[in-house]
Each structure stands twice: as C-alpha cells, then as structure tokens.
C-alpha cells in the first residue's frame, strides 16, 4: 500500500472516530459534583462556543485531504490534513481552557436539578473538561495522515511542492472564510431547520415537524407566512430580473459607441453599486415621498408609491438602479471582445442595426448574458433590504418577502427552528431555478 493510500485511511479514520468521540464535563456546586458526557456530534450542533467552529473547518479540510490523497496528490493531501490537524488541535486547546460553556452548563444544570440541588448560575464555578480516548485517537490520525503525506525535501520535491501548493496560497484565505462564514453556518442552519430552537437554549431535535407545519398545516400562521412571503419573492424576481438584464445591456450598448464623456457616464452609472442598501433605500424613500418627494413634484402626479400596486414599481426601480452598474461593466467587457470583422461582414450583407444586434452581438454575448441572468435571479430571490426599509409589513403584508418573515421570526420572536426551515425551502427553490438555468445554458452551448 502506498503512503498516499495509507494517509487517506488515517484521514478517513479521523472522520469515523468523530462520530464516537465525546467530552466529559464536571462541576461542583454546594459540595455536589455533577458529571455529564456529551458526544462530539452533539457538541458540534450545540451552537454554544466559538471554538466549536474549528470542528467543521477540520472536517472540511480532512475531506479535501481524502480526495487529494485518493487522486495521489500527496502534497495537496498533506496541506489539507495538516490544516485539519492544526484546526482540531486548536479546538481541543481552546475548548479545554473555557471556564464555562453554554451547552455543557445546560447539561450540567439538568443533572444538578435531577440530583435535587437548588442553585443559581453564579454558584457554578469552573467547568472541567476532559476528552475521551477516541478524541485523542482523532488528533493522532490527523497527525499520522500529515506525516505519511509529508512532501519530499529534496530539490525536485521542493519544486513540485511549490507547483502544487502555490494555487492554494492564493485561494487559501478565501477558502478559509468560505468554510467559516458560509459552509459552517449553512450546516448549522440546515440542522436548526429540524429542531425547536429559541436562540438561547439548546436546540431540541424535532425531525420533519417544522416542514410539516409549513407545508401542510393550513391553520398555522407560519404556513400562511411561507406562502405569502414566497409568492411575493417570486413576483419580485419576475418583475425585476428582466430590467436587471435589459437596462444594463442598453447602457453598455450606448457606451460602446464611445460618445463624448463616456467615461464620466460609465462612472456615474456604476456609482450606485458601490453604495450600501441602506443608503440606497433611504435616499429613494425621500424621492418617492408623497408629500415632498421630487418624483411626484417633477411628474406632477399624486401617486402613493408606498401603497399597492405602486409599491412594486418603487421596489423594482430602486433595485434596478442599485444593481445596474456591475452588470453593465460585464456587458461592456463582453461587447469589447466581439470581433469587429463580424459587424463589417454583416454590414456588407446589408444587415441593419437591429439585425446586427440580433445575429452578431447577442450570440457573442451568450455566456455573459446567461451568467448575469443566473446571478440576478439568485440575488433577487434573496431580496430583503428594499421591501423591509421602504414598505415593511404595511399594507396587510402585501409586499412582505420571505426573508422578512425569516428575520422577524428568528431574531425578534426567537423561533429560529421554524425560520431555518423557511430558509431551507427558499434555498431549495433557488437551487431548483438555478439548476434549470444551468441546464438551459448547457443545451444552448451544445446547440
């Protein structure tokens, strides 16, 4: 067996042992000692300590190490197994040195109450943490995986190491923050969707109960919120996405002819995309104001844009104005890469401007258009700031989108489990729409 294969087995053993490892917590209150044992998987999903965030980082790194080692990329395998070893080692050190931990305290508190001890939180002193043999076997497997995949220190080996690991030096910081701030919260969010959780106490696993309530219990408030919020989100996507494609494309085409002052106008159109959503929406709130808003004064109308059906017009205008700049720059780059000889050939054949746009410009911009379409759909499905600041839950929640309900229920009402289930359903809808768009892109590329 090669060293890479053996190292991959130790890496796999690290993940398997995680399912059986545990920690033991001990504390003494009023001369009564309570001892509890908590499995590592349960500890991971206790959502109780910042140091626990290092466990998903170690797990993701070890999975990447296994994939690399199976493909016989020993240098890459060493990198990720070493990261897993360091991350899990730091977790063990930091978690051990914590004086109190929310999940351990809750479990110990229940144990003390069962023993008939009456106490207050300030009566609980230091919580002593010890690891079982499986935990030490985990860190040993990580160390052995790193040692077995350790790269050669010879001249050729150093050159190969540099060639293999240099790309990861560039993407490493991004991968680190991606795992910590995206993958880990996503894992916790999916888990929370199957629990009853109030953000303060330990989540209680309830299985599919949250989804059953959201999808089938028509008498429940959350059932109605899901349908109203999801339908309003879909309507906003249908109203805004076409303009998020057409308006930037029109501006890019206009700037592509290099009019006088085109650089100034390019900067002017791009400027809104640099602003925060709060700045944008508060500014437009004054523009649409029914009493002193410049829009009504300028047009000489008395429309109340904060009441249906005008609210959708307001939300679309604000969103398109904010999102146009970035998409316009992408289209400008795509237009600059269109071969000029194709335009010249089309002109010789007698094609007018519309025909040249249809048969020359659009085919050469197929991929940028599909890319921006996908990103626009995903972005608008995650709509939150515009309706929340401009409209809120007014007008009988006529414009309330799903993310507003998710935030309202999780943060203000502390119904985090139900809110996570709503977020999972929204994520599945986005994935389904994106998958359909990706298939359409592949079909068009083959055609």
């Amino acid at each position: 067996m090669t060293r890479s294969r053996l190292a991959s087995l130790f890496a796999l053993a690290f993940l398997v042992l995680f399912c059986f490892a545990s920690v033991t917590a001990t504390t003494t209150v009023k001369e009564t000692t309570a001892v509890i044992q908590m499995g590592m998987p349960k500890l991971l999903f206790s959502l109780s300590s910042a140091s626990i965030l290092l466990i998903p980082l170690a797990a993701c790194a070890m999975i990447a190490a296994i994939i690399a080692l199976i493909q016989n990329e020993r240098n890459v395998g060493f990198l990720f197994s070493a990261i897993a070893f360091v991350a899990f080692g730091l977790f063990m050190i930091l978690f051990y040195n914590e004086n109190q931990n929310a999940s351990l305290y809750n479990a110990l508190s229940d144990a003390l109450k069962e023993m008939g001890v009456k106490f207050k939180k300030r009566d609980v002193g230091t919580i002593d943490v010890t690891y079982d043999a499986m935990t030490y076997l985990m860190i040993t497997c990580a160390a052995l995986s790193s040692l077995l995949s350790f790269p050669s220190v010879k001249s050729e080996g150093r050159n190969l190491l540099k060639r293999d690991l240099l790309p990861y030096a560039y993407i490493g910081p991004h991968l680190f923050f991606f795992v910590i701030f995206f993958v880990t919260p996503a894992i916790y969010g999916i888990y929370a969707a199957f629990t009853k959780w109030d953000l303060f106490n330990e989540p209680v696993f309830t299985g599919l109960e949250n989804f059953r309530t959201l999808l089938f219990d028509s008498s429940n408030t959350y059932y109605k919120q899901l349908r109203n919020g999801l339908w309003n989100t879909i309507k906003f996507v249908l109203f805004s996405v076409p303009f998020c494609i057409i308006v930037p494309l029109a501006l890019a085409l206009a700037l592509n002819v290099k009019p006088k002052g085109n650089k100034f106008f390019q900067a002017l159109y791009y400027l809104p995309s640099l602003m925060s959503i709060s700045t944008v929406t508060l500014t437009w709130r004054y523009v649409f104001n029914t009493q002193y808003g410049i829009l009504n004064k300028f047009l000489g109308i008395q429309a109340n844009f904060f009441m249906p059906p005008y609210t959708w017009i307001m939300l679309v205008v604000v969103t398109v104005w904010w999102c146009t700049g970035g998409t316009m720059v992408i289209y400008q780059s795509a237009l600059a890469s269109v071969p000029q000889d194709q335009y010249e050939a089309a002109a010789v054949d007698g094609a007018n401007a519309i025909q040249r746009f249809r048969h020359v410009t659009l085919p050469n911009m197929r991929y940028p258009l599909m890319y921006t379409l996908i990103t626009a759909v995903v972005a608008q499905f995650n709509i939150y700031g515009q309706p929340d600041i401009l409209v809120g839950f007014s007008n009988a929640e006529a414009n309330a989108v799903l993310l507003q309900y998710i935030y309202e229920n999780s943060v203000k009402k502390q119904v985090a489990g139900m809110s996570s289930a709503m977020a999972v359903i929204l994520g599945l809808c986005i994935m389904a729409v994106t998958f359909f768009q990706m298939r359409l892109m592949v079909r068009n590329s083959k055609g």
Side-chain angles (χ1 to χ4, degrees), residues 124-159:
V124 180
T126 302
I127 298 177
D128 298 320
V129 176
T130 56
Y131 301 106
D132 67 344
M134 294 292 186
T135 306
Y136 289 105
L137 280 176
M138 284 180 64
I139 195 71
T140 302
C141 287
L144 290 174
S145 179
S146 302
L147 290 173
L148 288 170
S149 57
F150 194 82
S152 173
V153 295
K154 295 180 181 180
S155 178
E156 295 180 0
R158 288 198 300 270
N159 293 333

Side-chain angles (χ1 to χ4, degrees), residues 288 302-315 399:
F288 284 108
Q302 297 298 322
N304 186 353
F305 289 96
F306 297 92
M307 294 287 291
Y310 300 107
T311 45
W312 289 117
I313 298 175
M314 177 176 61
L315 292 172
N399 302 103

Side-chain angles (χ1 to χ4, degrees), residues 369-433:
L369 285 170
M370 287 303 301
Y371 168 77
T372 52
L373 176 61
I374 292 174
T375 54
V377 169
V378 173
Q380 305 320 325
F381 258 108
N382 286 282
I383 179 68
Y384 171 75
Q386 299 93 304
D388 187 63
I389 297 176
L390 291 171
V391 183
F393 289 99
S394 61
N395 306 320
E397 302 180 0
N399 302 103
V401 295
L402 190 56
L403 276 180
Q404 287 182 263
Y405 289 120
I406 292 172
Y407 176 81
E408 183 78 12
N409 292 328
S410 62
V411 177
K412 295 185 178 180
K413 298 180 180 179
Q414 287 85 47
V415 192
M418 190 67 70
S419 299
S420 298
M422 288 184 180
V424 169
I425 293 174
L426 177 61
L428 291 174
C429 292
I430 295 174
M431 290 174 62
V433 173

Side-chain angles (χ1 to χ4, degrees), residues 86-100:
V86 172
F88 193 74
L90 283 174
F91 157 74
M92 293 180 66
I93 295 171
L94 295 174
F95 192 78
Y96 177 81
N97 290 320
E98 290 185 15
N99 290 328
Q100 284 198 4

Side-chain angles (χ1 to χ4, degrees), residues 107-125:
L108 288 169
S109 176
D110 293 339
L112 288 168
K113 290 177 182 178
E114 290 179 0
M115 298 167 67
V117 180
K118 296 182 179 180
F119 66 97
K120 297 181 179 179
K121 189 173 183 178
R122 63 173 178 266
D123 298 329
V124 180

Side-chain angles (χ1 to χ4, degrees), residues 249-429:
L249 181 59
L251 293 175
L253 289 169
L255 293 172
N256 193 52
V257 299
K258 301 295 187 295
K260 188 176 181 179
N262 66 306
K263 294 298 182 182
F264 169 77
F265 287 107
Q266 178 180 340
L268 187 66
Y269 297 145
Y270 184 73
L271 184 62
S273 63
L274 300 178
M275 300 179 184
S276 67
I277 184 61
S278 300
T279 302
V280 170
T281 49
L282 289 175
T283 301
W284 279 96
R285 188 178 181 88
Y286 286 107
V287 173
F288 284 108
N289 190 279
T290 55
Q291 297 180 352
Y292 49 80
I294 61 174
L295 188 64
N296 280 357
K297 297 293 183 182
F298 179 77
L299 297 178
I301 60 176
Q302 297 298 322
N304 186 353
F305 289 96
F306 297 92
M307 294 287 291
Y310 300 107
T311 45
W312 289 117
I313 298 175
M314 177 176 61
L315 292 172
V316 170
V317 168
V318 173
T319 302
V320 173
W321 185 82
W322 184 43
C323 299
T324 291
T327 307
M328 179 195 69
V329 171
I330 295 174
Y331 292 158
Q332 282 184 286
S333 177
L335 287 170
S337 63
V338 178
Q340 291 300 315
D341 56 354
Q342 294 187 13
Y343 287 115
E344 295 171 0
V348 170
D349 291 339
N352 56 31
I354 296 177
Q355 291 171 330
R356 290 196 298 270
F357 173 75
R358 178 182 176 185
H359 297 288
V360 177
T361 304
L362 286 182
N364 282 282
M365 294 183 63
R366 177 188 303 172
Y367 295 108
L369 285 170
M370 287 303 301
Y371 168 77
T372 52
L373 176 61
I374 292 174
T375 54
V377 169
V378 173
Q380 305 320 325
F381 258 108
N382 286 282
I383 179 68
Y384 171 75
Q386 299 93 304
D388 187 63
I389 297 176
L390 291 171
V391 183
F393 289 99
S394 61
N395 306 320
E397 302 180 0
N399 302 103
V401 295
L402 190 56
L403 276 180
Q404 287 182 263
Y405 289 120
I406 292 172
Y407 176 81
E408 183 78 12
N409 292 328
S410 62
V411 177
K412 295 185 178 180
K413 298 180 180 179
Q414 287 85 47
V415 192
M418 190 67 70
S419 299
S420 298
M422 288 184 180
V424 169
I425 293 174
L426 177 61
L428 291 174
C429 292

